[in-house]
Amino acid sequence: GIPFAITVDFDTINEGSAKDSVTVRDLDTMKQVRMPISELADNIQDLSAARITWDDMVAKYGLFEQKKEEEETVAEDRVED
C-alpha cells in the first residue's frame, strides 16, 4: 500500500507561518508532520529508500495536530457529502 499521504491545505496557500508547507501523514500511525514544500521531495525519497525513518521526521519537524475547529469543519463536510 501507500505508506504516506501528503496534504496541501488552506494553510499551505494562505499567508502565515504555515505558508508554503504541507503535512505528511504516516498511514500506519496516522501521525502527521508539517514541513516546507521545498524539503518534501528529499524527505519522501529518503523515507522511501530507508535512509531516514518516520521517527526521524517527527524528531526534526515535531508532530502536527489539526486544530479542533478544522476537525469540526472536515467532519461537517463529510456529513454533507
Side-chain angles (χ1 to χ4, degrees):
I2 299 170
F4 307 103
I6 300 164
T7 303
V8 175
D9 56 21
F10 289 111
D11 290 336
T12 302
I13 56 176
N14 289 334
E15 294 296 327
S17 62
K19 182 172 173 49
D20 297 327
S21 65
V22 294
T23 57
V24 178
R25 177 180 295 133
D26 174 52
L27 296 181
D28 288 336
T29 64
M30 298 305 287
K31 292 182 179 178
Q32 300 179 94
V33 297
R34 183 174 280 279
M35 72 179 65
I37 292 172
S38 62
E39 298 175 19
L40 178 64
D42 287 341
N43 282 319
I44 294 299
Q45 286 177 338
D46 288 345
L47 281 167
S48 298
R51 289 187 289 265
I52 62 173
T53 66
W54 180 255
D55 289 337
D56 295 332
M57 296 278 286
V58 171
K60 182 175 181 177
Y61 297 104
L63 286 176
F64 173 77
E65 295 189 28
Q66 200 172 33
K67 297 174 192 149
K68 184 67 176 168
E69 60 198 37
E70 290 176 358
E71 290 173 354
E72 291 170 359
T73 300
V74 169
E76 289 171 5
D77 289 346
R78 288 185 183 147
V79 170
E80 291 175 5
D81 290 340

